[in-house]
Amino acid sequence: MSNEILKPENFVEIDKNKESFLLEKIKELEEKIKKLEYDSMHDYLTGLHTRKFLKERAEEIISSIKKKKQEKREEGYDSFSLLFCDLDNFKAVNDILGHNEGDGVLKKISEIINNKVRSADIVSRWAGDEIAVGLLGANEEEAAEIAEKIRIAVAEELKDAVVTLSIGAASYEEGLDMKSMTEHSDKAMYFAKKSGRNKVVKYSEISKDKLI
């Protein structure tokens, strides 16, 4: 073996190469973990949060509101609302223009909704062509106002695609949980579709008038 190879500075160089290799592998692994975490919380098509993420986050918020009231604290949210948005005429887009065009419409609507809410709010693809929105600190009236802005923006930007939104709005009330709020928002959204589509309906309106 050559004496040149056995020189101490050569071993140092080998160690540096090993360290560099390991650091690179660690970086690659960290990036893969980040991507897996992102994918687990976001819908692959629209980039919106998943249904699971919204449900878990909403349950945390509701729990926080209950705790705040029990402890009579000043800080924190007093209200939380949920919007259920369903695309009108979406099946016709898929059937006539194809699923690629339908995917494009769904992505565009997701983008419009994201632009009409605050960064702290939670927009999720609930199922198929249904999008749910969790609005922090918003009561039902405020939620309906936001929903109306979303509805108008979609109707204006997608008039050529003849796609509109039917939206149901419901807010947290004492004794409710995420499951109850989901049912309320869904019923309000269903009533919006049944009564003509392209409109916003508050759960309090239909429950008060015994329309459900």
Side-chain angles (χ1 to χ4, degrees):
M1 183 179 291
S2 169
N3 289 334
E4 188 70 26
I5 296 173
L6 295 174
K7 285 183 178 180
E9 57 266 28
N10 290 334
F11 285 104
V12 171
E13 187 64 33
I14 291 169
D15 287 342
K16 283 182 178 178
N17 289 338
K18 282 184 178 178
E19 182 182 1
S20 177
F21 175 78
L22 287 171
L23 288 173
E24 186 63 32
K25 288 299 177 184
I26 289 169
K27 186 180 177 182
E28 287 177 10
L29 185 59
E30 286 174 344
E31 287 174 355
K32 285 180 181 178
I33 290 170
K34 282 181 184 177
K35 186 177 184 306
L36 286 170
E37 287 175 347
Y38 180 89
D39 290 346
S40 71
M41 294 187 293
H42 293 83
D43 175 61
Y44 73 96
L45 176 64
T46 61
L48 300 179
H49 284 296
T50 59
R51 175 175 179 161
K52 182 175 181 287
F53 180 87
L54 173 56
K55 286 176 73 175
E56 289 176 353
R57 184 76 183 96
E59 284 163 1
E60 290 172 4
I61 294 164
I62 292 168
S63 176
S64 176
I65 292 172
K66 288 178 180 177
K67 193 172 181 181
K68 180 189 172 183
K69 289 182 178 179
Q70 288 169 356
E71 298 177 357
K72 298 181 181 178
R73 289 187 283 110
E74 292 294 325
E75 69 278 4
Y77 293 107
D78 290 308
S79 52
F80 176 67
S81 291
L82 190 64
L83 303 179
F84 258 37
C85 314
D86 190 81
L87 279 64
D88 304 320
N89 307 313
F90 187 64
K91 186 177 183 300
V93 173
N94 278 332
D95 290 347
I96 297 169
L97 301 177
H99 287 279
N100 285 340
E101 186 69 23
D103 287 349
V105 168
L106 190 55
K107 285 192 276 190
K108 180 62 179 175
I109 289 176
S110 300
E111 181 186 322
I112 292 169
I113 295 175
N114 258 330
N115 289 336
K116 292 296 177 184
V117 299
R118 302 157 301 176
S119 58
D121 296 323
I122 311 148
V123 186
S124 80
R125 186 179 181 189
W126 194 256
D129 61 344
E130 284 186 10
I131 295 171
V133 186
L135 300 169
L136 283 75
N139 60 33
E140 191 184 61
E141 195 62 40
E142 291 165 336
E145 289 173 7
I146 293 169
E148 183 62 12
K149 289 176 183 176
I150 292 170
R151 184 197 68 76
I152 291 169
V154 169
E156 287 177 349
E157 293 196 40
L158 290 173
K159 57 187 175 185
D160 292 338
V162 202
V163 174
T164 55
L165 283 184
S166 292
I167 307 176
S171 288
Y172 170 76
E173 295 174 8
E174 194 169 347
L176 295 182
D177 55 16
M178 179 54 179
K179 184 173 182 293
S180 305
M181 286 188 67
T182 299
E183 290 171 355
H184 290 183
S185 300
D186 189 53
K187 284 177 180 177
M189 181 268 291
Y190 176 75
F191 190 83
K193 292 190 84 70
K194 193 173 70 169
S195 59
R197 301 181 180 181
N198 191 25
K199 61 173 64 177
V200 176
V201 172
K202 295 180 287 187
Y203 178 75
S204 61
E205 294 173 331
I206 59 176
S207 60
K208 179 180 66 179
D209 297 334
K210 301 187 187 319
L211 296 171
I212 53 171

